[in-house]
Amino acid sequence: MSFINKSVTLSIIVLIVNFQCFIAQNLQTIKGTISDKQSQQSIPGATIQILESNPLKITRTDVNGKYKLIDVAPGRYSLKISYTGYREVNVSNIIVSSGKETILDIQLEESVAEIGEVTVVGKKNGLNNELTSVSGRSFSMEEVNRYAGGRSDPARLAANFAGVSSPDDTRNDLVIRGNSPVGVLWRIEGLNISNPNHFSTIGTTGGPVSAINTNLLRNSDFMTSAFPAEYGNANAGVFDLGLRNGNSEKREHTFQFGVLTGFELVTEGPIKKDNGSSYLVAYRYGFSSVAQSIGLPIGTAATPYYQDVSFKINTGNTKIGKFTFFGIGALSTIDFTHDKVDSTDLFAFPNRDSYFTSQIGLLGMKHVIRINDKSFFNTVVGVNYAGSNYLQDSLNPVEEPIRTIENLTKRANFTLNTSFNSKISAKLFIKTGVIAELLSIKLNYRNRENSVEWIEYWNSNQKTGLIQAYFHSKYNFTNELTLNLGLHSQLLTLNNSYAIEPRVGVKYQFSKSSNLSFGYGMHSQMQPLDSYFLQSFDNAGNAQQLNRQMDFSRSQQLVMGYEILPFKSWRFKTEIYYQYLSKVPVQKNPTSYSMLNAGATFFPNDKTDLVNEGTGENYGVELTIERFFNKGFYGLITGSLYESKYVASDGIKRNTAFNGRYVYNILVGKEFKVGKEKRNAISLDIKFTHAGGRYYTPINLELSQLLQFQVNKGDAYAYSEKYSDFLRLDVKLGYTMNSKKRKISQSWSFDVNNVTNRKNIFAERFNPSTNSINIAYQIGFFPNFVYRLQF
């Protein structure tokens, strides 16, 4: 009997222990690597502490710089990372969920002062690229998905930042400080990509739907002016995106469904645990047809289809360095037919059928190899592909459909990007490198929409090279004063255009809470690649390409900024800037045309015989007031006052197509912890945007009626009229549930775009069916539902 009682007692103890272990599985882990920001060398012995934890949670990195904080309950946390001789860093707003481990790699910067002499706390929103002195900001995957109206799109998140405007519901083109969206450089894992969007066309950088899966993003950088010397061939701004590594110790999965973003599946895990290798793969299939089936407007009655796949494979540490392989592939298609047109359609017309498909691809390999504890080489090789087909048939009541437009484009960029990085001392860091791109393009475009015979604009299969080289040094005079000096050069082998561009940045830290920054840079950019090969015909009917000799457009940018953290969790920042643009392509004969307005329409450049004699200027002032996530509340208020002007070959100063003159955004959010253990959360996010209307050239109604197709008024009216202001209010309600019994977290969000159903103007256009000018409006009230499961 005694034996039985002991057995029962032991069984009960085992059950209790197993139950407690089962419950403990609901707790999660924060882990990652701590390394030197400049040398990338891991730091053993660094201290990582969860702030305001009770009991205290603290750990240290091992000999490989790795750390683990275990048994962390779901919620939001702040970490403090410190190591003797390095600047202390505080990282806030770290989300821990029951369905996924939190992986956080952190870099520390060595202090210039003697050990123990001074402590400098790293500020929030510091950039990954430490060579940026001014006009830059980092953002996280959590921010991309948090804000109302964001549609899981990094470009739409950036539209909330000071100096950026994107008053268009249909596309994510970014107007940075009055510049054309064509001037934005997109870079993913060190590879330049021409356009990372579904339904993209050559010569543009935006699109209706991003092909970048935000579930794969790590903290990335966005820069708006005077960027470091490693970035070239851009006059407006830089998106430098990185893909995170998969979990190298545990297999995890994410399932997501959204009315707009569609069905999505992400899986990750270790390949070989002992060397830290991992995989990360995601697939997404768009379901816009679901929105259409329940009567939600998406801007057209046509049904868009799109899908994409993304991956990153990390080989871990090997004897010959670390290798990563990454890629993105995307397909999209849409047919606009005359029998599916209503008055709200933004793209289709009652007298034509059109068919559009696009494909983009990115495939790359990165190799990092150490030379010593202070220096390393970082090399990326890869290819970026973009192709699109646009076919159009014109219709009339008595004849069969007639093919009137054929536009077929293919572009492939083969890239080698290699850099040498060396931390000479705590004060001096240097980076030098070369970016060589082989640009291959095939263009076939002919049109007989307004003529009997075909007019051939493109018939070209060309290759050219863009070679860039740079040197950048960062010198810390003290912990408070930093100087960035750089030199960038680039050569276009098509016509031997070249540029040499100095860059300089200075930053002075008055105290732990305030700093003054200054930046100057010369920047050059080649023209949209297709514009070099546009054809015209001489009197004998021979084809000629008069734009092949176009030089780079040049830009000089001057910026000054002041930033202060007046209270805990608050940041105020203001910047003033001036940009002068020169050598802008304009027509030889006096007209209002300027390449600075490229990207204002869906149509490619159709002007030949261009010369680099145009100018432009952008200037303005910006303000950011930010409340970092603290005690469940956060907020972001940004405002910009700016002017954007240009002078074409007729010598008249005009507004550019992107001169909205002002824009401001107000974003606020509140998170409420709910449940007995406060494991779950309800969130409410509100966003309001007010942007000035853009200038446009009005339609010549009489001539359009006579010719039965749209004709705009002449040069005297170029960009003389202004659309009404863009206003939009978005509200997002979310609920996150962290399971008590399983490693599962679920979230639901209901994101209502344009709550007031404001009719923002998309464009004015001539309608030949009614012989009048119609106003096409942007997307109205649109509720977007997203469900996410992590396990």
Side-chain angles (χ1 to χ4, degrees), residues 431-444:
K431 181 175 184 178
T432 185
V434 174
I435 304 172
E437 294 180 274
L438 174 63
L439 313 178
S440 175
I441 188 167
K442 186 174 183 180
L443 302 167
N444 297 101

Side-chain angles (χ1 to χ4, degrees), residues 140-154 157 213-216 256 261 634 685 732 749 751 786 788:
S140 65
M141 178 181 72
E142 188 272 336
E143 286 181 285
V144 176
N145 294 316
R146 182 203 309 170
Y147 293 116
R151 301 184 188 176
S152 297
D153 185 340
L157 168 67
N213 192 315
T214 56
N215 286 312
L216 273 67
Q256 183 171 304
T261 55
Y634 67 90
D685 301 272
K732 182 178 181 180
S749 67
D751 190 356
V786 176
R788 176 185 291 180

Side-chain angles (χ1 to χ4, degrees), residues 396-463:
N396 64 63
V398 296
E399 297 179 0
E400 292 292 323
I402 300 174
R403 178 63 47 86
T404 53
I405 294 180
E406 294 179 350
N407 188 349
L408 314 176
T409 67
K410 294 180 180 179
R411 173 176 176 171
N413 294 4
F414 301 89
T415 303
L416 167 67
N417 182 353
T418 185
S419 66
F420 173 72
N421 306 258
S422 183
K423 178 182 177 180
I424 307 300
S425 67
K427 289 189 174 185
L428 179 62
F429 171 76
I430 62 170
K431 181 175 184 178
T432 185
V434 174
I435 304 172
E437 294 180 274
L438 174 63
L439 313 178
S440 175
I441 188 167
K442 186 174 183 180
L443 302 167
N444 297 101
Y445 173 37
R446 59 179 188 166
N447 187 317
R448 59 175 177 180
E449 191 175 17
N450 302 315
S451 62
V452 176
E453 300 297 328
W454 286 104
I455 299 175
E456 194 171 67
Y457 292 93
W458 289 327
N459 185 5
S460 188
N461 189 352
Q462 301 282 337
K463 290 183 176 64

Side-chain angles (χ1 to χ4, degrees), residues 478-757:
T478 66
N479 278 321
E480 293 77 29
L481 180 61
T482 300
L483 172 66
N484 278 297
L485 284 176
L487 188 68
H488 181 275
S489 63
Q490 60 186 43
L491 169 70
L492 179 64
T493 61
L494 177 70
N495 55 24
N496 292 324
S497 297
Y498 71 92
I500 299 176
E501 309 159 358
R503 314 279 175 87
V504 59
V506 180
K507 194 167 191 177
Y508 182 72
Q509 194 83 27
F510 291 107
S511 65
K512 290 183 180 181
S513 60
S514 66
N515 67 77
L516 181 69
S517 55
F518 166 84
Y520 169 79
M522 291 186 65
H523 305 268
S524 301
Q525 184 176 14
M526 63 182 290
Q527 313 311 325
L529 189 57
D530 57 283
S531 63
Y532 289 94
F533 307 112
L534 186 66
Q535 291 185 163
S536 61
F537 299 89
D538 60 19
N539 294 332
N542 299 313
Q544 51 189 356
Q545 295 176 343
L546 300 177
N547 290 344
R548 286 180 69 100
Q549 295 305 312
M550 286 189 298
D551 199 352
F552 298 126
S553 294
R554 312 297 172 104
S555 166
Q556 297 190 65
Q557 303 178 6
L558 185 66
V559 192
M560 183 174 289
Y562 178 72
E563 182 180 50
I564 184 170
L565 283 67
F567 320 107
K568 182 182 178 181
S569 301
W570 285 89
R571 179 175 75 111
F572 290 18
K573 183 177 182 179
T574 184
E575 289 190 344
I576 57 173
Y577 66 90
Y578 178 80
Q579 179 185 20
Y580 179 75
L581 297 114
S582 60
K583 291 194 173 185
V584 178
V586 295
Q587 289 184 286
K588 273 188 178 181
N589 297 324
T591 70
S592 62
Y593 175 85
S594 172
M595 191 67 81
L596 290 182
N597 296 312
T601 69
F602 294 104
F603 306 106
N605 168 66
D606 61 354
K607 299 296 188 291
T608 60
D609 206 12
L610 299 178
V611 292
N612 293 88
E613 298 178 357
T615 61
E617 62 179 357
N618 301 310
Y619 53 91
V621 59
E622 302 165 357
L623 175 66
T624 298
I625 302 174
E626 184 168 12
R627 154 80 180 207
F628 301 113
F629 203 110
N630 186 29
K631 297 182 179 179
F633 173 73
Y634 67 90
L636 177 66
I637 300 174
T638 61
S640 305
L641 297 173
Y642 66 99
E643 289 287 347
S644 179
K645 304 283 188 177
Y646 79 98
V647 178
S649 55
D650 60 5
I652 299 174
K653 180 179 282 191
R654 295 181 174 88
N655 296 293
T656 69
F658 309 104
N659 189 15
R661 292 193 168 179
Y662 52 85
V663 57
Y664 67 87
N665 302 279
I666 302 173
L667 300 91
V668 293
K670 175 66 177 176
E671 184 176 87
F672 305 90
K673 293 293 185 182
V674 295
K676 184 180 295 185
E677 301 175 11
K678 305 298 182 183
R679 300 171 62 91
N680 307 325
I682 296 174
S683 61
L684 176 65
D685 301 272
I686 300 173
K687 172 189 170 182
F688 177 71
T689 297
H690 182 184
R694 296 183 186 174
Y695 286 90
Y696 69 100
T697 303
I699 297 171
N700 187 328
L701 180 58
E702 292 183 0
L703 189 56
S704 298
Q705 290 173 335
L706 178 64
L707 299 177
Q708 284 298 288
F709 60 85
Q710 182 170 312
V711 180
N712 291 339
K713 290 185 178 181
D715 292 325
Y717 297 90
Y719 303 104
S720 60
E721 296 191 14
K722 194 171 185 282
Y723 290 127
S724 58
D725 287 0
F726 176 95
L727 293 96
R728 200 177 88 176
L729 176 65
D730 303 327
V731 177
K732 182 178 181 180
L733 183 65
Y735 177 66
T736 300
M737 183 175 70
N738 291 291
S739 173
K740 293 182 179 180
K741 298 182 179 180
R742 297 177 178 86
K743 296 274 189 180
I744 292 176
S745 64
Q746 301 178 76
S747 64
W748 297 260
S749 67
F750 192 61
D751 190 356
V752 183
N753 300 172
N754 199 355
V755 173
T756 63
N757 200 29

